[in-house]
Amino acid sequence: PKYTPSPLVLKAFKTHEEKLEKLGVSYAGDINQIVIDGKISDFIKTIEILYDQNINDVARQVVDRGTIKAVCISGQSSSGKTTTSKKLAMYLKALGKDCLVVSTDDYFVNRVDSPRKPDGSYEFEIVDALDIKLFNSHMKKLLAGEEVVIPTYNFIMGEKEYKRKPVALKENQILVVEGLHAINEMLSTSIPKKNKLKLYISPFTPIGLDRHNHISTTDLRLLRRMVRDYQHRGYSADATLQSWAGMRSSEESYVYPYQREADVIINTSLAYEIGVLRTYAEPLLYSVSKDSENYEEAIRIINFLEAFINIPSDDVPEVSVLREFIGHSYFEQ
């Protein structure tokens, strides 16, 4: 494929790599040694601070620019959009700015109107799966100080519900919008460019298994998704693996091209997280039947996880982005 440079992505990756190198962490074995030495609790706290510093930098940029009325946060599946948006709201609050957090997931079109794939199944990953007209109408009214009733999408019934109280954006408030397509200009045409900051997030991990084998961002997101699907939705690892390829294909077409529109990119990977995710994901992967077409992929991931020592989740903070996937997050509604 034709190479299209993404300098902000490369910068986010490189900056994180340099920070980890200063901590003496470049490979899986370095993290394992920290566990063996009994220093994993302090290491987790340090890594969380690095992540929080990124959020603080964005919050300060929003305040310093003065003209920002909305922050749009996008990223692939399992990037940590929910936690990042709510932590950003907390940091902005500390700087004197209240926030109204809106998720584009509440603006899906009713299931009966959802676009379909060639095989007849529903296509939820594309921007046309959202009620673009209603979303832009609400954003325009909010920025004008008018009241709107933000819907809540009932994923079981496949319909928008209007059970919330009317809200209006106050003069000192910042609108924080998070979702798969949040930085797609189609979703924010009602917001002037000078009044919005586009933030793209992804767990870019610079850690390698060794000098020759890099850890894929896709594999990290798959582990996060697998654990979350089971913890929060009751899906098996087999079901997650079955849907993963289709979702990745949609991302290639409808998410990745727009990352170049971002003003800021944040790396949401946590250097210690694979050891924690192993504890949750390994039993799920062993449950994949030999008769499943996903069996070989499950074995590949099991072999990959064996490079990491299990890390208990006890020291993972409630406000960590990892809690979005393993459960017991402070931000869970």
Side-chain angles (χ1 to χ4, degrees), residues 70-86:
V71 180
C72 304
I73 304 175
S74 178
Q76 319 105 303
S77 173
S78 305
S79 293
K81 294 183 289 295
T82 301
T83 300
T84 301
S85 62
K86 292 183 177 180

Side-chain angles (χ1 to χ4, degrees), residues 59-68 193-198 263-264:
R60 289 195 172 278
Q61 182 174 338
V62 170
V63 173
D64 291 345
R65 282 178 59 174
T67 59
I68 302 299
K193 288 187 177 182
K194 67 177 182 178
N195 296 135
K196 61 188 171 188
L197 180 78
K198 292 184 177 182
D263 299 303
V264 181

